[in-house]
Amino acid sequence: MKRFTQALGTSVALALLAVPAAYAGAKSSFNVVVNTSIRYAEGAQGTARNSADAVQRIYCRTNADSAGNESVRCYAVNSANVTATCFSTLPAHVRSAQSAGDASFIYFTWDASGICRSLDVLKGSHLEPKAP
């Protein structure tokens, strides 16, 4: 029995040595920022969802009508309840919005009429995932 225990202990020790060390990757949180004076909004969906303030949100919604016309509306609210929104029918903006995942970073700008000037969507392993 003693020999079995020693063999088992040695096997477990060797197995543990064979397991590679685990390293965590970069992790970043990006709260929602809304700047109405220079007309931009940005933030990570996961960070907004997980925020303690229960106010932050950022998303883009795409739409298509029966004639095949597509559009996108992006919306953001920061922790101080400052809001931003923009609208676009540019196909490139629609495609960018459609590329967003549930933990994406979204950045958008708009003009004085509320038309989206740019829309940037980032997906990456460093972004905070949404918690339930």
Side-chain angles (χ1 to χ4, degrees), residues 40-86:
Y40 85 89
E42 67 181 11
Q45 292 174 299
T47 305
R49 168 75 180 218
N50 300 337
S51 67
D53 59 55
V55 177
Q56 292 183 59
R57 57 190 174 277
I58 188 162
Y59 61 88
C60 295
R61 177 181 179 175
T62 59
N63 188 1
D65 65 21
S66 59
N69 301 309
E70 294 182 307
S71 64
V72 60
R73 178 167 302 279
C74 292
Y75 188 71
V77 181
N78 68 11
S79 61
N81 210 25
V82 177
T83 64
T85 188
C86 72

